[in-house]
Amino acid sequence: MLDILRRIIQEVNSAADLDQALGIIVQRVRESVAVDVASVYLKTADTGEFVLSATEGLRKDAVGHVRLAASEGLVGMVGEREEPVNLEDAPSHPRYRFTKGTGENPYHAFLGVPIIQHGTVLGVLVVRQRQHRRFAEDEEAFLVTLAAQLAGAISHAGASGEISHVLQASEGVSVTLKGLPGAPGVAIGQALVVYPPANLEAIPDRSVKDADTEIENFRVAVTAVQDDIRDYANRMSSILPAEELALFDALLLMLGGDSLIGETVERIRAGNWAPGALRETIGEHVRVFESMEDSYMRERASDIRDLGRRILTHIQGDRPAIGAAYPRTVLVGEEISIGQLAEIPHESLAGIVSVSGSSSSHVAILAQAMGVPAVMGVEDMPVGRLEGQAIIADGYRGDVFVNPSELVREEFLRLQTQESKLTEVLQHVSRQPSVTPDGVNIPLYLNIGLVSGIENEVHANGDGVGLYRTEIPFLMQDRFPGEEFQLRTYRKALEAFAPRPVTLRTLDVGGDKMLPYFPVIEDNPFLGWRGIRISLDHPEIFLTQIRAMMRASVGLNNLTIMLPMVSTVTELDNALVLINQAQGELLEEGELVVRPPVGIMIEVPSAIYQIGAMAKRVDFFSIGTNDLTQYLLAVDRNNSRVAGLYQSLHPAVLGAIKQVIDQAHILGKPVSVCGEMAGDPAAVLALMGLGVNSLSMSASNLPRIKWVIRSFTREEARDLLEQAWQLESPREIRELYNAVLEQGGLGGLVRAGN
Ligand code: PEP
Ligand code: MG
């Protein structure tokens, strides 16, 4: 059963469009459950009707014509109950409706299972049989499993089909895809599809002008792979037995034969570029092998995939780096890396649309810092079909419009104009002090480090830097940067902001931030070797960093050091020993270093309960709400499937922050917030009520947050918090704060937020 399931899902996943996907489903289900009829009814988004969308066994001409109201008949009942309905004799059931024109007369046994994705019923999968019988438990379980796995493929194929329809249409028909707000703003531009190197599946189609040169390059790449394989075979000949060596011959045979190469060349001649043509050919051959009964032959599919990847690597060998493909580039990809963002000149980068991730992924945070609109988690986006298409990304609502109509375009252009007016107003506010109307000063610091050039950020009127993510200098190198390199990097930031304080956070890699030269492969990276844990296990790296930080501050003395991911007092003690050691060594070497204030991030729940012990050892706390929210709510900050649960205005998160601030204040230690919450106007109102001492955020959020602070007294914020404590759901709490912002005339600042 598992094998059959896997094969059906693979076939459906590689279907070109929804019709083909549904056709495969009904055909395979009818064969594998041995029934007379297998049908899929899809639910329409507007009327909620169930439309017969594919069938094996009923009359084909009924497809698209048989429509059942939302709760009509047995199909409606399955949709309504959201559970399987298994009947021995369907016609005798009170909800049974006979539908004319399907030729369904003689069927008695009925089993319908809902197709549900993210809590929404997309359709119903139905099997029927002439005889009277109740379907067995394992048959029902099989269909339920299949339907659960197919839901994603069905909605993906639907979106993919719609897009290909749009691409074929000469007049643009707008297709809307749903994602999550990643960074605020509206991007209007052209899609530039980016993909990881040698990831054949992610290669887009692209048209080619000079087919002959493309074919020549392709052939050169194939020859290079043949040479590689011969090399491997030679090297292995003394190690491997002859049978195993035959595998290399088989690979060479495939590369020499006409099918893989000839078909790819044909496709290039038809207008696709070599990587796209190769993807199609390899995909087709892989499908043939994967559908074979013999498990040995099925395994050969992976050899073909591997050959495809090898050829691609050679083709890409002389691929130029991505550049400004379009004047208004919207980067589109399965997963967009920080490096890819950096490759696009800032002035051409209009927006980002990513299949994976959410608003708290580092790429989204970077986009916020750069003021670039981003939509994340667009799961149904057929990336490979979007190259060069006109695209609008609405980073406020998480919508993406492909090939938008003129009307939609105009509406978004209007929104962009409104937005720049609001920015002007905010620019004015940003030069005022960050003080509430009742005189409470709440300094606003900047989060920097994700953007390489700090020059622009210095002028953003921040009171200093509250979080410098030092990972980025590490990410930009091909080895651990040495003390002198780090010294120069940190000195630049400290000088640029002096005499304002600059908080340098020690290395926080692990989780979703991996150094290319220091890979950490773990099942649970967010619960693994991260942040301070790595630093303490590698004192040589930590000491180098601390020394560079302290030396960078000589004569300026505006350095503050912050430690990430601290979960136990022992970790803190060990880190302090190393900080003291670094300072001692530097003094001995004659460097006039002074001991900077040292603080920790509160982002692991265990730290909340040890504030007393921690406060005795540090000068300040800064709450990292991005991680604190994920660890407290057990919601992966990068997983779009659970992004709806990632709520920083959750009563538990607010309760935790309250505990930290109250405890720290009793012990006389200030508390800042440096997670994304600090840049979210509604959340800032809550933090003001909780008594936070300062905030640190992306430069692009600073003006709006200053506006909030200058608009509400601390008393008002405290009263609001009293009301918020009465509420039990994050949604209600956000609504409360949004309503207050609207009343205060700050409606333009209200966004979906997290
Ligand atoms: C946080 O976790 O809130 C934080 C500021 O750190 P990072 O986003 O870099 O993990
Ligand atoms: Mg963190």
Side-chain angles (χ1 to χ4, degrees):
M1 273 303 189
L2 207 59
D3 244 17
I4 299 174
L5 255 175
R6 193 173 50 85
R7 293 231 307 275
I8 299 180
I9 286 151
Q10 261 164 2
E11 276 188 70
V12 170
N13 272 334
S14 47
D17 56 32
L18 186 58
D19 284 344
Q20 199 184 353
L22 296 178
I24 295 167
I25 294 170
V26 289
Q27 197 186 334
R28 295 283 177 252
V29 166
R30 190 160 92 141
E31 285 163 14
S32 38
V33 196
V35 285
D36 299 317
V37 177
S39 311
V40 173
Y41 294 79
L42 287 189
K43 194 169 178 166
T44 59
D46 43 359
T47 60
E49 285 172 307
F50 286 98
V51 181
L52 178 66
S53 303
T55 185
E56 277 291 320
L58 295 184
R59 285 174 50 179
K60 296 270 190 212
D61 57 2
V63 169
H65 297 294
V66 170
R67 300 175 89 88
L68 300 163
S71 53
E72 192 182 344
L74 294 172
V75 169
M77 184 167 126
V78 175
E80 205 173 63
R81 291 195 182 172
E82 303 186 353
E83 61 179 353
V85 171
N86 187 349
L87 301 172
E88 189 180 331
D89 181 33
S92 63
H93 192 278
R95 293 284 297 262
Y96 176 78
R97 288 280 169 285
F98 173 73
T99 25
K100 280 196 218 126
T102 59
E104 71 166 36
N105 244 348
Y107 304 114
H108 289 281
F110 172 102
L111 171 59
V113 296
I115 303 167
I116 302 181
Q117 197 193 19
H118 297 322
T120 306
V121 176
L122 300 180
V124 174
L125 174 61
V126 175
V127 292
R128 314 195 52 183
Q129 218 161 344
R130 282 199 178 80
Q131 68 203 87
H132 283 79
R133 78 159 176 122
R134 209 182 139 77
F135 285 94
E137 191 174 298
D138 63 342
E139 291 170 319
E140 186 176 320
F142 172 73
L143 285 188
V144 168
T145 315
L146 185 65
Q149 293 216 36
L150 286 174
I154 286 178
S155 75
H156 185 93
S160 175
E162 266 186 87
I163 301 260
S164 58
H165 164 68
V166 168
L167 299 191
Q168 280 152 15
S170 49
E171 273 301 294
V173 181
S174 182
V175 171
T176 311
L177 299 165
K178 195 75 201 135
L180 304 162
V186 168
I188 305 178
Q190 263 176 296
L192 173 69
V193 176
V194 291
Y195 44 90
N199 180 355
L200 197 56
E201 283 83 356
I203 291 287
D205 287 334
R206 226 170 241 180
S207 57
V208 66
K209 287 201 184 76
D210 183 355
D212 287 338
T213 313
E214 195 72 5
I215 290 169
E216 180 53 30
N217 291 343
F218 170 67
R219 288 200 188 279
V220 169
V222 173
T223 311
V225 175
Q226 285 169 328
D227 291 344
D228 288 351
I229 294 175
R230 278 191 205 103
D231 258 351
Y232 299 149
N234 280 341
R235 261 183 281 145
M236 294 292 177
S237 58
S238 57
I239 309 169
L240 288 180
E243 308 88 84
E244 302 294 338
L245 281 173
L247 177 66
F248 291 107
D249 291 333
L251 293 178
L252 285 170
L253 216 64
M254 283 189 218
L255 284 176
D258 229 352
S259 59
L260 277 188
I261 309 310
E263 286 168 26
T264 308
V265 168
E266 282 293 293
R267 290 191 159 104
I268 300 176
R269 278 204 210 292
N272 207 350
W273 68 329
L278 181 66
R279 186 207 68 228
E280 280 190 62
T281 310
I282 296 287
E284 223 173 72
H285 285 254
V286 163
R287 278 196 290 283
V288 171
F289 276 89
E290 274 177 345
S291 63
M292 291 185 180
E293 290 301 327
D294 185 303
S295 66
Y296 176 82
M297 290 311 280
R298 275 209 307 278
E299 281 309 309
R300 301 287 63 79
S302 68
D303 294 337
I304 296 192
R305 247 195 232 106
D306 184 51
L307 278 183
R309 254 181 242 129
R310 284 170 193 277
I311 300 173
L312 181 67
T313 308
H314 278 284
I315 298 176
Q316 289 179 333
D318 9 85
R319 183 180 64 101
I322 24 170
Y326 308 107
R328 311 271 315 138
T329 298
V330 177
L331 270 191
V332 171
E334 293 284 340
E335 190 177 341
I336 293 173
S337 71
I338 292 178
Q340 285 163 336
L341 270 198
E343 273 190 59
I344 302 282
H346 190 49
E347 59 285 2
S348 334
L349 183 60
I352 294 162
V353 179
S354 168
V355 171
S356 60
S358 68
S359 67
S360 38
S361 306
H362 281 98
V363 136
I365 295 175
L366 174 57
Q368 289 160 26
M370 294 165 83
V372 173
V375 178
M376 310 293 290
V378 194
E379 285 186 356
D380 292 331
M381 181 165 64
V383 171
R385 296 171 186 267
L386 296 183
E387 180 64 41
Q389 296 307 303
I391 193 165
I392 293 179
D394 177 352
Y396 293 109
R397 308 174 69 101
D399 292 331
V400 177
F401 301 86
V402 181
N403 223 357
S405 67
E406 202 40 45
L407 219 68
V408 171
R409 223 180 100 79
E410 273 167 23
E411 180 58 22
F412 277 97
L413 280 170
R414 201 179 53 75
L415 244 163
Q416 265 189 339
T417 318
Q418 259 183 10
E419 210 184 19
S420 46
K421 281 198 192 125
L422 180 65
T423 311
E424 266 172 45
V425 177
L426 291 176
Q427 286 309 334
H428 171 70
V429 175
S430 71
R431 284 186 283 275
Q432 318 276 327
S434 177
V435 180
T436 63
D438 54 346
V440 182
N441 185 22
I442 304 181
L444 300 187
Y445 299 113
L446 298 175
N447 289 355
I448 66 166
L450 279 176
V451 188
S452 51
I454 51 168
E455 296 77 8
N456 301 334
E457 297 171 281
V458 179
H459 303 295
N461 300 297
D463 293 307
V465 173
L467 168 63
Y468 183 114
R469 290 180 165 99
T470 60
E471 299 76 81
I472 299 306
F474 281 73
L475 278 167
M476 296 202 158
Q477 298 280 299
D478 55 7
R479 74 204 77 169
F480 283 109
E483 187 172 319
E484 296 304 319
F485 176 87
Q486 291 190 55
L487 163 67
R488 286 196 300 276
T489 315
Y490 304 149
R491 180 80 187 178
K492 253 195 248 165
L494 288 161
E495 261 174 358
F497 284 90
R500 292 173 282 174
V502 173
T503 305
L504 299 184
R505 179 177 73 180
T506 60
L507 189 62
D508 184 23
V509 288
D512 64 342
K513 282 174 293 191
M514 215 42 81
L515 299 173
Y517 47 86
F518 189 65
V520 179
I521 313 290
E522 294 177 319
D523 284 346
N524 260 323
F526 276 105
L527 299 183
W529 210 36
R530 254 200 95 176
I532 191 84
R533 300 171 185 181
I534 294 186
S535 296
L536 292 177
D537 285 348
H538 279 280
E540 76 287 11
I541 297 168
F542 188 65
L543 283 166
T544 305
Q545 185 172 37
I546 298 292
R547 284 173 57 96
M549 287 178 174
M550 285 190 181
R551 283 177 63 200
S553 182
V554 170
L556 299 169
N557 299 335
N558 58 341
L559 165 70
T560 297
I561 293 179
M562 182 157 76
L563 307 169
M565 282 291 294
V566 175
S567 61
T568 69
V569 174
T570 317
E571 278 169 336
L572 176 55
D573 282 339
N574 292 343
L576 291 172
V577 166
L578 291 172
I579 292 174
N580 287 341
Q581 180 185 328
Q583 188 188 7
E585 285 167 9
L586 288 167
L587 287 172
E588 265 174 37
E589 291 164 26
E591 297 271 6
L592 295 174
V593 293
V594 289
R595 161 95 185 191
V598 176
I600 59 167
M601 294 194 65
I602 302 293
E603 49 184 349
V604 180
S606 61
I608 301 168
Y609 303 99
Q610 299 172 83
I611 293 289
M614 305 274 191
K616 282 192 231 144
R617 295 160 164 87
V618 297
D619 301 297
F620 68 94
F621 296 108
S622 186
I623 308 180
T625 49
N626 303 339
D627 278 315
L628 187 63
T629 305
Q630 94 163 333
Y631 293 130
L632 215 49
L633 305 183
V635 179
D636 179 348
R637 61 194 264 188
N638 287 317
N639 184 342
S640 51
R641 213 176 281 166
V642 288
L645 294 173
Y646 187 91
Q647 301 276 3
S648 46
L649 285 182
H650 191 293
V653 177
L654 294 181
I657 297 175
K658 176 174 164 45
Q659 189 161 336
V660 172
I661 295 178
D662 290 353
Q663 293 283 313
H665 284 179
I666 292 172
L667 300 159
K669 299 292 156 87
V671 180
S672 183
V673 169
C674 65
E676 296 315 294
M677 243 179 127
D680 171 355
V684 164
L685 259 180
L687 294 172
M688 284 168 71
L690 287 163
V692 71
N693 299 96
S694 60
L695 298 166
S696 191
M697 69 210 68
S698 301
S700 58
N701 285 329
L702 190 130
R704 70 185 88 198
I705 298 308
K706 196 172 275 188
W707 197 5
V708 173
I709 286 178
R710 292 182 57 81
S711 306
F712 294 90
T713 63
R714 183 151 259 178
E715 260 333 289
E716 285 170 319
R718 284 206 183 111
D719 289 347
L720 273 169
L721 190 64
E722 282 312 312
Q723 293 177 45
W725 291 134
Q726 309 306 315
L727 304 173
E728 291 169 350
S729 81
R731 186 181 50 78
E732 289 172 315
I733 297 176
R734 185 164 286 283
E735 279 169 8
L736 165 77
Y737 283 112
N738 279 352
V740 174
L741 287 170
E742 300 253 14
Q743 281 158 22
L746 308 185
L749 302 186
V750 174
R751 64 176 179 103
N754 44 36

